[in-house]
Structure formats: C-alpha cells, structure tokens
Amino acid sequence: MKKRDTIIYIVVTGLFSLMLLAGAITYFVQYEMTAEMFTSLGVTTEIIYPLAIAKILGIVAIWLIKNRAIKTLAYMGFAIDLIFAIAAHLNAGDGGAFGPVIPLALLIISYVFYRKKVKALN
C-alpha cells in the first residue's frame, strides 16, 4: 500500500471515528436532548445507551482489532446504523438527513482504503 493511501486511510478513519465518538459521548452526556431527538424520529429511547456502547466498541474494533471478520462487521454495523439514521430523518421530515451522510461517506472511503491495505498485505 502506498504511503499516500495509508495517510488517506488514517485521516479519513480518524475523522470518521471522531464524529462517531462525539455522537456516542453526547448520548451519555446529553441524554435528555438525545432522547427528545430519538422520540421525534420515532425511535425508542431504550436503544440510546446500547447504541452508544456499540459505536465505541466499533471504533475500537476498527482501530485495534486485527481480525478481519470483526473489523468488517464493525464497518457493516456502522453502515447499517448510518443508513437507518438517514432513513429515520427522511421519514420524520426534519431536514436532518444530511447529518449522517457525511460520516457515511467517510465510512465508505475508510473501508475502500482498508480493503486496499488488506490486499497489499496478501
């Protein structure tokens, strides 16, 4: 893998991770605000804490876990989460659908460069 590709992977994955980590921390620190948002989207508030924990564990998996299957599952879990977030915002008509599009784009770029990295290792 080229040095340029490695830099792109690290920067994009870092930005993605910071965005998702900030969101997960917000779920804990500003629970009431998060609960109002989830309610307005028609999503049960019982999922807030488990979702925050899953996001943190997913970030850990992407950065620290060497097992390809677990890392791929983390990427897939984030993709599903972000696609459902976009769908929930579109369904609610609150204009917030663009928010999850940015991390989804970063996730896709990160995954493409992760796959390049895996191919280079083989």
Side-chain angles (χ1 to χ4, degrees):
M1 191 162 143
K2 296 178 183 175
K3 185 175 181 175
R4 176 188 66 96
D5 292 346
T6 302
I7 292 169
I8 292 170
Y9 171 75
I10 291 171
V11 169
V12 169
T13 306
L15 289 172
F16 169 79
S17 298
L18 289 173
M19 290 178 83
L20 272 286
L21 185 60
I25 291 170
T26 301
Y27 288 7
F28 288 113
V29 176
Q30 296 181 330
Y31 177 82
E32 292 303 321
M33 180 192 75
T34 304
E36 286 177 25
M37 180 187 63
F38 272 57
T39 302
S40 73
L41 295 174
V43 178
T44 180
T45 57
E46 295 169 346
I47 197 170
I48 294 172
Y49 289 138
L51 185 57
I53 292 167
K55 286 181 178 186
I56 293 167
L57 291 175
I59 292 167
V60 169
I62 286 174
W63 283 103
L64 301 178
I65 304 296
K66 301 297 181 200
N67 184 295
R68 291 181 191 165
I70 293 173
K71 196 173 283 222
T72 300
L73 284 173
Y75 275 108
M76 185 179 70
F78 282 127
I80 291 169
D81 173 54
L82 292 167
I83 289 167
F84 279 141
I86 293 167
H89 283 287
L90 288 173
N91 186 49
D94 65 357
F98 185 70
V101 169
I102 295 168
L104 182 60
L106 293 173
L107 176 72
I108 292 166
I109 295 167
S110 173
Y111 186 71
V112 166
F113 281 91
Y114 164 67
R115 295 298 303 156
K116 276 186 166 186
K117 187 171 122 179
V118 168
K119 283 185 180 182
L121 293 175
N122 290 334

